[in-house]
Amino acid sequence: DADVTQTPRNRITKTGKRIMLECSQTKGHDRMYWYRQDPGLGLRLIYYSFDVKDINKGEISDGYSVSRQAQAKFSLSLESAIPNQTALYFCATSDLALEREGTDTQYFGPGTRLTVL
Amino acid sequence: LAKTTQPISMDSYEGQEVNITCSHNNIATNDYITWYQQFPSQGPRFIIQGYKTKVTNEVASLFIPADRKSSTLSLPRVSLSDTAVYYCLVGGRYSSASKIIFGSGTRLSIRP
């Protein structure tokens, strides 16, 4: 979805380096998410934020931190990257208030392919 | 936590109808069933959501039996471009995001 952008799209780094992945959205959604996907596997939730002052850990938050700088921006940091953090990272947004019923639809960015050597 | 079980992979041919079943035996009363589609190197995309019986949109149909312990995503007359991974998710309107899990999905391959 072009309304959700991620930078960089590709990044190669070395073990021990600090890395920040950025996500921006123009959809005006309150909720933002960071997922990780390993080859051949599904998505695993790292962190999520339901508004600027709300940050929650997901299934695999160890080794990661996040910052919700504004409603439209949600950054993921790897303080000291390690090789097993090599993966495809997706940001997503949603807004429950837009749904008359059911759960909120998540809109995903194009992904960031991160390689840690 | 409503865990889902789907086939790891399926194969079909162009023009066929494809049905992918998802089991969710411990679905809660307030849970909805949602399906996403993911193409290689792209993020998942919402396909359809339902609570009970049948839901249809321009892309697919979703069949949910009365006991709601399973659901079936039906793709009519598939084409090569339907080759993707399909995820079944279960969760309530106010479920914690950490409880709505994508899992490994079903890898659908369509052949000419």
Side-chain angles (χ1 to χ4, degrees):
Chain A
D1 191 312
D3 298 325
V4 184
T5 57
Q6 294 183 233
T7 55
R9 294 294 312 278
N10 290 282
R11 181 72 184 267
I12 299 174
T13 190
K14 295 182 179 180
T15 297
K17 294 291 187 181
R18 183 178 187 274
I19 297 296
M20 179 180 286
L21 309 183
E22 300 187 345
C23 176
S24 294
Q25 53 118 344
T26 58
K27 301 183 77 69
H29 288 173
D30 289 334
R31 299 180 171 190
M32 298 187 74
Y33 312 77
W34 275 105
Y35 289 91
R36 165 180 173 161
Q37 185 170 39
D38 295 282
L41 300 180
L43 284 79
R44 291 185 290 169
L45 184 64
I46 306 173
Y47 271 96
Y48 62 101
S49 168
F50 280 3
D51 66 40
V52 175
K53 297 180 180 179
D54 176 76
I55 302 290
N56 303 282
K57 293 182 178 180
E59 178 187 359
I60 54 164
S61 59
D62 288 348
Y64 302 94
S65 63
V66 291
S67 173
R68 184 83 183 266
Q69 301 96 321
Q71 185 196 43
K73 296 184 182 296
F74 193 35
S75 299
L76 176 72
S77 293
L78 289 67
E79 297 301 326
S80 179
I82 56 177
N84 75 2
Q85 290 178 312
T86 293
L88 188 54
Y89 290 84
F90 288 103
C91 172
T93 72
S94 70
D95 194 331
L96 186 64
L98 296 177
E99 312 286 344
R100 289 182 301 165
E101 59 179 3
T103 60
D104 40 332
T105 299
Q106 294 190 39
Y107 297 86
F108 285 79
T112 294
R113 188 170 299 280
L114 176 66
T115 302
V116 183
L117 302 176
Chain B
L1 183 61
K3 179 176 176 168
T4 61
T5 302
Q6 307 174 232
I8 294 174
S9 63
M10 295 180 65
D11 295 324
S12 189
Y13 293 91
E14 283 191 294
Q16 299 294 306
E17 178 185 75
V18 171
N19 297 308
I20 305 174
T21 298
C22 178
S23 297
H24 27 80
N25 290 318
N26 58 342
I27 188 170
T29 302
N30 296 327
D31 285 346
Y32 284 74
I33 300 148
T34 309
W35 286 80
Y36 283 79
Q37 174 192 55
Q38 184 181 25
F39 297 116
S41 298
Q42 294 185 25
R45 182 183 69 158
F46 172 89
I47 300 177
I48 197 166
Q49 184 179 97
Y51 182 80
K52 61 181 179 181
T53 61
K54 177 184 175 182
V55 179
T56 297
N57 61 23
E58 65 278 5
V59 176
S61 294
L62 179 59
F63 298 91
I64 305 167
D67 66 6
R68 303 199 329 120
K69 293 184 182 300
S70 66
S71 59
T72 299
L73 175 72
S74 182
L75 305 173
R77 298 180 298 283
V78 294
S79 65
L80 296 176
S81 63
D82 291 313
T83 294
V85 178
Y86 293 82
Y87 298 95
C88 167
L89 287 71
V90 173
R93 183 168 178 81
Y94 300 104
S95 294
S96 167
S98 61
K99 290 179 168 46
I100 301 177
I101 298 173
F102 275 83
S104 298
T106 296
R107 189 170 300 274
L108 176 64
S109 297
I110 305 300
R111 302 177 181 180

